[in-house]
Amino acid sequence: MTEHAPLIIDVAGTQLSADDRRRLAHPLVGGVILFARNWQDRAQLLALTAAIKAVRHDLLVCVDHEGGRVQRFRTDGFTHIPPMRALGELWMDDGKAGQGSGALRAMDAATAAGYVLGSELRACGVDFSFTPVLDLDWGESGVIGDRAFHRDPRVVAMLARALMQGLLQAGMANCGKHFPGHGFVRADSHTEIPVDRRSLKAILADDAAPYPWLSTVLTSVMPAHVIYPKVDGRPAGFSAKWLQDILRGRLRFDGAIFSDDLSMEGARRIDGQVVSYTDAGVAALNAGCDLLLLCNQSLGDGQAVDELIAGLADAQAAGRWQASRASEARRQALLPETLPQPWDDLMVQPAYMHALDLLP
């Protein structure tokens, strides 16, 4: 077993370059995150994912593919998954069928969405999608918006659980994000550092409530690049208090923890200082992250990716962070255990066709 391969990096184009292969072969690299620029059509995507697995069979091939506006592959047969808010609206619509009927229809539709999403990705060689969003729809956050199921954490938890069941039927793990909640703050952590000034009690009672309710089914979590100053001065993804004391200790979560993208503005500023990718990565690992995401840095000369790989290796040699067998086991647990259905078989499978009919 690999000692600990925490880095999830991207690749520049629709096929692997020699630089991509060199980086993916490095023992600190544990996976790849794909974007729309890596997509041309299904045949190309299948060839790309096969080429990634040929470098190392245990690399985790990931994508942000939630539905709505966050869906990387949209053509050549891929189903347009509705935004998660559509499932929350279905929950509220009982029509003439009696109280609670909307909730039951919405849960069935959420399972269908998870199954369609997961099985289509897996048919193209993708192992894992960063979904579902567990943030609450406060109506304030432009970056979350209709990506959230609902304002009520109970509705969010039930619809997320149903979606996860569909992912599981497709053989795919899940990722709850963005812990402990990004929906309350207006600022976008891609470009600035949001601050949520509520108390720990208020956050745990509301935005973070889905996490303990989903403790038996969550396989991974991504923390928010948000600062909650009443709890810690560091963003949640760099906070041992949030990740170790609260998420692992108090909420007893034992799955994988991903950092959010280290290239985001909210990830590069720790304790008021702008830090390097390496320092951000070391801080995230020491706070309790198992895996580190660095996105969109392989474009051009890819210098930032090479710097992070070399910097992380040097930091490990200098004892600034310790490899963790438990973290590596959590990464490997996200790899599918079943063979995917080939696309043409999937298209005529009764369960898949039924799931398509259930999507709102």
Side-chain angles (χ1 to χ4, degrees):
M1 177 163 147
T2 306
E3 188 181 26
H4 184 186
L7 281 174
I8 309 290
I9 62 174
D10 61 329
V11 295
T14 53
Q15 51 194 45
L16 294 185
S17 66
D19 281 334
D20 291 326
R21 285 192 169 85
R22 171 180 57 77
R23 292 172 187 135
L24 294 176
H26 195 282
L28 288 179
V29 174
V32 182
I33 180 167
L34 300 177
F35 291 92
R37 68 167 186 275
N38 305 121
W39 161 261
Q40 189 177 318
D41 54 39
R42 283 188 288 109
Q44 168 271 325
L45 181 60
L46 201 54
L48 176 61
T49 55
I52 291 166
K53 293 289 188 178
V55 175
R56 267 202 4 244
H57 70 90
D58 72 316
L59 289 169
L60 183 70
V61 181
C62 315
V63 68
D64 259 333
H65 199 87
E66 304 165 5
R69 59 197 157 101
V70 182
Q71 181 172 333
R72 305 304 183 208
F73 316 134
R74 295 172 173 271
T75 53
D76 200 16
F78 264 93
T79 302
H80 287 219
I81 306 294
M84 295 301 101
R85 181 186 283 167
L87 294 165
E89 289 169 346
L90 189 60
W91 179 290
M92 302 306 292
D93 182 13
D94 289 331
K96 295 176 181 172
Q99 190 173 10
S101 58
L104 293 167
R105 280 204 321 277
M107 288 180 67
D108 210 19
T111 299
Y115 182 69
V116 170
L117 186 160
S119 57
E120 288 181 357
L121 288 175
R122 289 210 58 211
C124 294
V126 178
D127 298 321
F128 180 79
S129 175
F130 292 102
T131 188
V133 167
L134 300 182
D135 300 318
L136 306 188
D137 186 4
W138 284 88
E140 294 291 320
S141 171
V143 72
I144 302 301
D146 66 2
R147 296 165 66 190
F149 289 105
H150 203 273
R151 165 62 188 88
D152 188 326
R154 299 169 298 180
V155 177
V156 170
M158 293 305 288
L159 288 175
R161 182 181 286 271
L163 186 99
M164 290 172 189
Q165 183 185 345
L167 291 173
L168 186 64
Q169 287 169 350
M172 187 175 280
N174 60 66
C175 182
K177 61 189 188 184
H178 306 83
F179 177 80
H182 199 315
F184 186 76
V185 288
R186 189 170 289 178
D188 178 356
S189 54
H190 292 84
T191 54
E192 48 196 320
I193 303 175
V195 177
D196 185 338
R197 300 191 183 280
R198 292 175 300 163
S199 68
L200 176 60
K201 184 179 178 184
I203 294 165
L204 290 180
D206 209 353
D207 291 63
Y211 290 87
W213 291 338
L214 296 169
S215 64
T216 56
V217 288
L218 265 178
T219 46
S220 69
V221 162
M222 181 182 287
H225 285 327
V226 175
I227 296 174
Y228 308 86
K230 294 237 173 95
V231 181
D232 194 352
R234 289 188 163 198
F238 300 110
S239 165
K241 187 159 189 184
W242 274 116
L243 301 184
Q244 295 183 47
D245 298 353
I246 299 171
L247 183 59
R248 292 257 187 248
R250 191 161 170 175
L251 306 184
R252 298 174 65 190
F253 174 69
D254 193 40
I257 301 176
F258 286 89
S259 79
D260 204 345
D261 176 15
L262 294 178
S263 69
M264 287 161 58
E265 182 61 31
R268 299 289 304 287
R269 198 177 290 272
I270 304 176
D271 300 332
Q273 303 290 315
V274 176
V275 300
S276 68
Y277 291 133
T278 297
D279 287 345
V282 169
L285 289 168
N286 287 333
C289 287
D290 303 296
L291 295 155
L292 305 174
L293 272 171
L294 183 68
C295 302
N296 298 314
Q297 300 304 308
S298 66
L299 300 167
D301 61 9
Q303 186 180 348
V305 187
D306 291 329
E307 277 181 16
L308 179 57
I309 292 171
L312 213 56
D314 290 346
Q316 184 183 17
R320 291 178 59 205
W321 70 278
Q322 310 286 323
S324 164
R325 285 185 173 270
S327 288
E328 180 59 20
R330 292 183 188 116
R331 181 188 76 83
Q332 301 238 3
L334 299 175
L335 290 161
E337 294 179 359
T338 57
L339 290 172
Q341 287 241 39
W343 186 275
D344 290 345
D345 293 353
L346 181 67
M347 291 300 107
V348 296
Q349 184 204 46
Y352 173 80
M353 293 192 291
H354 177 59
L356 286 180
D357 288 340
L358 291 173
L359 295 180

